[in-house]
Structures are given as C-alpha cells and as structure tokens.
Amino acid sequence: MAAPLYRQIAHKIREEIESGNWREGEAIPTEKHLSEQFSASRVTIRQAIKCLVEEDLLKRVQGSGTYVNEKKIEHNIFELQSFTEEMRRLNKEPINHVLNFQMIEPSEKVREVLQLSEGEKVFYIRRQRLVDDTPYVLEDTYLPVNMFPDLSYQIMSGSKYDYIEQIRGMKIKESFQEVIPILPDQEVATSLRLDATTPILKIQLHSVFYDGTVFEYSDIYFKSDEYKFTLRASRP
C-alpha cells in the first residue's frame, strides 16, 4: 500500500536536505513553488512540511518563512571545555559580548559555593556568547576578586579559561553541573532573542582547581533549538 502523498513529498524533501541541495539555515521554496513542483495542493504541502518540522529537519520562523534547521550542537556535560573551545572544535569563531561587568557583594548562595568569608567580593560578569551574530548562550559568572584581582572587561571579552590557565597558570580539574529546564525571564529571553514562552536549558555549575579550590560559580542558559545534551553511560 502506497504511503499518503504528503509523506511521499516529505520523503523527497528530506532527500533534498540530506543530499545538501537544501542547505542548513536557508529558506525552503514557497508553498506555491512546492505545490507546483510536486503537483499537490497547498494543504498536502503543509502536511509534509509539518512532518519535517516535527522531525526538527525544518523550522518555521513567524513572519519570515520555513528554514532548513541547523544541526544542534552536541554538548557533552562530562567533558569540561569552554564555549570558545567547543565552537572552535566545530570550526566556528565565537564572539563574547560582555553585557555586565562589576564587583559586587555575592548572594549567600554564591558565597557558600565559592567558600568565601563575610565581606569578600566577587566579579559578576554576564556574557552573551554568539556565533555568526546569533546568540547561542547567555552566561552569568561569579569569580572571587581576591583570586583574580587583575580580571577585566577586556579579558572576559575573550576566553575565561584561556586567561585562567594560560595567563594565570592555574590548572582546572573539573566542574560540577546541574541541568535544569526552565522558561527564561524576559531579560534572558531578550539576550537569547527568544520568546519568553520558549523553554531553555540552564546549567548551574561550579569549577575547581586540582587543589580543591572552588574558583567559579556560573549560571549558563542554553538555547534548546541550538543545543542537545548527551550523556554517555556504560555498563560496569
């Protein structure tokens, strides 16, 4: 028994994408064009497109059109690497926009995680991490002032881990992370260019040196349409 026409068309469109004829990030032909190409009604074309949107091969952008989805970045939470390292490994050149850089009194939670004494201050830095002018990640980082007294806006416009390991000569051992699905507040949504009703993934993490010193606490917000998180488990 032959598959319904809309599924046959969805299969042909899928082949166009997989062969590279329709490239990632590009708009697909209009419904009118596809209707003529496949000798099918617009209703049938919409059904085919709906199937591929549900498969994450296509995405609809309100007021703009339908586009071939770019492959999500596979983020392995068991591998400690910076955003800069992760993007360069994928042959992408990241840009950091520092949205906020100030010295503050930490909250009780940040003070406890960083094991600070009463009165010790931290640098608070909010960075928008972009590739090709598209924001992928929003990062709120807290670093102890007494540990990094020379930290600057310019340094945080580059790679934080490059500064810590290559400039300061401190060796990072590991980080402890918690992944939480959330709805962003309006400020986070605006920074990621998202609707506030779009779910995102938040990682709360703290990182330590080989001597056990906690040097960083961060809240990192990931766009769920750009990232997928992987866990690799093996049987003992």
Side-chain angles (χ1 to χ4, degrees):
M1 183 177 177
L5 180 57
Y6 76 91
R7 290 199 176 276
Q8 295 178 42
I9 294 171
H11 177 72
K12 291 176 182 177
I13 293 175
R14 192 182 298 108
E15 288 181 334
E16 295 284 354
I17 295 170
E18 291 173 351
S19 67
N21 291 333
W22 292 10
R23 296 181 181 179
E24 292 181 18
E26 291 186 350
I28 69 170
T30 64
E31 284 185 5
K32 181 176 183 296
H33 180 93
L34 293 173
S35 178
E36 293 171 354
Q37 179 180 344
F38 295 114
S39 301
S41 69
R42 290 198 181 187
V43 172
T44 301
I45 296 299
R46 287 190 200 110
Q47 284 181 297
I49 290 172
K50 181 173 181 290
C51 284
L52 298 174
V53 168
E54 290 171 351
E55 291 180 24
D56 273 343
L57 283 176
L58 299 177
K59 66 176 177 181
R60 289 193 177 101
V61 178
Q62 189 172 0
S64 178
T66 302
Y67 295 79
V68 178
N69 233 342
E70 296 182 76
K71 292 179 182 177
K72 291 187 178 183
I73 296 168
E74 187 174 345
H75 182 78
N76 180 7
I77 64 174
F78 289 122
E79 184 177 343
L80 179 56
Q81 60 181 337
S82 69
F83 177 79
T84 300
E85 292 167 338
E86 186 173 52
M87 292 301 105
R88 287 179 176 167
R89 180 173 56 83
L90 298 170
N91 296 317
K92 298 176 182 287
E93 190 57 37
I95 296 174
N96 296 319
H97 283 174
V98 179
L99 304 179
N100 197 334
F101 183 98
Q102 57 181 309
M103 187 187 300
I104 64 169
E105 292 278 352
S107 67
E108 189 61 34
K109 176 182 178 180
V110 172
R111 181 182 291 112
E112 287 180 1
V113 172
L114 293 177
Q115 301 171 12
L116 300 176
S117 301
E118 193 73 30
E120 287 190 83
K121 293 189 176 182
V122 298
F123 287 112
Y124 162 67
I125 310 99
R126 167 165 280 192
R127 295 191 296 174
Q128 186 189 42
R129 325 295 299 273
L130 306 97
V131 175
D132 297 330
D133 198 40
T134 299
Y136 279 43
V137 171
L138 185 70
E139 175 189 274
D140 290 333
T141 296
Y142 303 84
L143 299 167
V145 172
N146 62 2
M147 200 176 297
F148 306 106
D150 61 338
L151 192 70
S152 66
Y153 181 102
Q154 183 178 10
I155 287 169
M156 292 304 291
S157 295
S159 169
K160 172 181 62 186
Y161 284 0
D162 280 356
Y163 158 72
I164 291 171
E165 293 193 311
Q166 297 178 22
I167 306 299
R168 295 300 305 276
M170 299 168 164
K171 188 64 177 174
I172 300 168
K173 181 184 180 183
E174 58 191 356
S175 71
F176 300 86
Q177 308 181 26
E178 181 180 2
V179 183
I180 309 167
I182 65 167
L183 288 175
D185 63 32
Q186 190 57 57
E187 191 172 350
V188 170
T190 299
S191 295
L192 291 175
R193 300 177 194 165
L194 293 171
D195 189 281
T197 61
T198 302
I200 63 172
L201 295 169
K202 175 183 176 181
I203 285 187
Q204 295 178 329
L205 71 82
H206 64 275
S207 303
V208 302
F209 294 132
Y210 271 85
D211 65 0
T213 301
V214 181
F215 70 87
E216 165 197 23
Y217 173 81
S218 291
D219 290 322
I220 308 176
Y221 305 90
F222 291 83
K223 291 174 72 172
S224 55
D225 61 344
E226 303 287 358
Y227 274 88
K228 65 179 179 180
F229 283 62
T230 60
L231 300 171
R232 294 183 175 89
S234 58
R235 288 176 61 82

